[in-house]
Amino acid sequence: MDFHVLGPIRIVVDGAEVSPGPPKQVALLALLLIHPNEPVSADRIIDALWVDPPSSAANLVQVYVSGLRTVLEPSRRPGENPERLVTTPAGYTLRVDHDELDAWRFEHMVEAASGHDVDRVDVLRSAMELWRGRPFADVAYEDFAAAEVRRLDEIHARAELMLNETLLDAGEHQAVLETAGSWVLEHPLREEFWNLYMRALYQAGRQPDALRAYRSAVDAFAEAGIEPSPDLAALEERILLRDPALVPKPGPDVPDDNIPANLSTFVGRETEIETIRSLLPRHRLVTLTGPGGIGKSR
């Protein structure tokens, strides 16, 4: 069984998605998944599901619990004790293994990426594949879900930052630019994203855009009545001075030029190749002419 909460709430049983039921039943499932393997009292469920509980709230909770049990254990026979959603003296407990909840798997992979013995990019990209949208999207704006949604959003932001920092350090500024621009719009008061965006722009050879991004950051902070930190101002100065340390040096396996590596052998044209070799030491420019497809580019 798999529970998916990093987006709309989904349940997958034996590889097939099943409907969690009507909205109130989905809200109950969300509450139990926010507190997996912990008892949740009936009173707490009522407070979460209704602003102004009806007189029949307690009976409705039992109806929704019964409905979830049918969804989670469709083969359970009448009279058999439930194994997933159990009743305890303290309330209702949803039993969930750690590998069954995508939020747990996501959090574990982000923590693992902080180590030194993993391929950080691969681990973080695998984690991002689990992210389908706003956590607990069906109930994201309910009071009982707000704290958990914020916590998961923060882990997601940290993972995005870690992934893009790693890509930028490897010189993959183009991959970073594809996401960094949207992140500064979504998080205009997060300096670390402005820092990342400015550095990516500079690495892409767009110094004026990087400096304009700094001004946009200053304006965003000014609207909130705050000033950027000295670190961000120092980055602007480094960009102005074209600090060479802002551009990562090629690794030992990276060639010093931008000529693609040969992926196959080149057959023929021995005479032409020798002619070119003889011309290049004596002329600054050698032009090859001929119809398309005869191997000029190669």
Side-chain angles (χ1 to χ4, degrees):
M1 182 173 293
D2 286 305
F3 297 97
H4 300 267
V5 299
L6 300 179
I9 298 171
R10 297 171 53 218
I11 306 173
V12 178
V13 180
D14 295 330
E17 184 172 351
V18 297
S19 172
K24 290 294 185 186
Q25 194 163 296
V26 173
L28 171 59
L29 175 63
L31 178 63
L32 295 170
L33 287 171
I34 290 173
H35 304 280
N37 301 318
E38 299 177 13
V40 181
S41 69
D43 288 342
R44 190 173 183 181
I45 293 172
I46 291 172
D47 288 341
L49 266 55
W50 290 280
V51 175
D52 185 15
S55 58
S56 59
N59 290 333
L60 288 173
V61 168
Q62 293 180 3
V63 171
Y64 298 142
V65 167
S66 177
L68 279 180
R69 283 172 172 162
T70 300
V71 171
L72 299 174
E73 299 179 70
S75 60
R76 185 171 62 89
R77 298 176 181 177
E80 286 185 343
N81 291 326
E83 296 182 359
R84 278 284 177 179
L85 180 50
V86 299
T87 304
T88 69
Y92 299 101
T93 300
L94 180 60
R95 292 173 176 169
V96 182
D97 291 337
H98 273 75
D99 61 346
E100 294 179 329
L101 183 59
D102 62 349
W104 275 343
R105 296 198 300 273
F106 178 79
E107 192 169 356
H108 174 74
M109 283 190 277
V110 174
E111 289 301 324
S114 301
H116 300 289
D117 299 325
V118 297
D119 186 327
R120 180 172 293 177
V121 171
D122 281 351
V123 172
L124 288 171
R125 280 178 170 162
S126 296
M128 292 304 177
E129 289 176 0
L130 297 175
W131 196 270
R132 298 175 295 109
R134 192 80 191 276
F136 293 95
D138 311 76
V139 296
Y141 297 101
E142 299 290 345
D143 289 343
F144 73 85
E148 180 66 1
V149 170
R150 283 195 301 270
R151 189 185 74 86
L152 291 171
D153 276 340
E154 182 59 32
I155 296 173
H156 182 237
R158 178 158 55 92
E160 279 279 8
L161 185 65
M162 198 186 313
L163 173 60
N164 285 281
E165 286 277 6
T166 305
L167 291 172
L168 198 60
D169 290 342
E172 298 186 34
H173 50 265
Q174 198 58 47
V176 176
L177 281 175
E178 291 176 3
T179 58
S182 62
W183 274 98
V184 295
L185 294 176
E186 292 180 33
H187 305 274
L189 301 182
R190 296 286 293 264
E191 272 200 19
E192 57 267 46
F193 289 117
W194 284 109
N195 185 301
L196 190 75
Y197 187 42
M198 290 166 61
R199 287 161 51 208
L201 287 167
Y202 182 75
Q203 282 191 22
R206 297 166 57 183
Q207 183 197 35
D209 290 336
L211 295 172
R212 278 191 287 270
Y214 175 74
R215 298 310 312 170
S216 297
V218 171
D219 292 343
F221 291 130
E223 288 184 10
I226 56 179
E227 294 183 2
S229 73
D231 290 341
L232 201 63
L235 176 60
E236 181 208 25
E237 184 175 0
R238 292 175 65 194
I239 291 172
L240 277 168
L241 298 176
R242 297 184 181 274
D243 184 351
L246 289 173
V247 180
K249 296 180 180 180
D253 298 327
V254 178
D256 292 333
D257 53 51
N258 63 352
I259 299 174
N262 290 330
L263 300 179
S264 59
T265 57
F266 188 53
V267 180
R269 301 297 180 192
E270 288 83 2
T271 301
E272 289 81 357
I273 290 173
E274 288 304 317
T275 301
I276 292 168
R277 282 177 172 160
S278 68
L279 291 170
L280 283 172
R282 296 182 285 118
H283 302 278
R284 294 182 61 195
L285 176 65
V286 175
T287 302
L288 307 185
T289 62
I294 66 169
K296 297 188 301 296
S297 298
R298 183 60 179 265

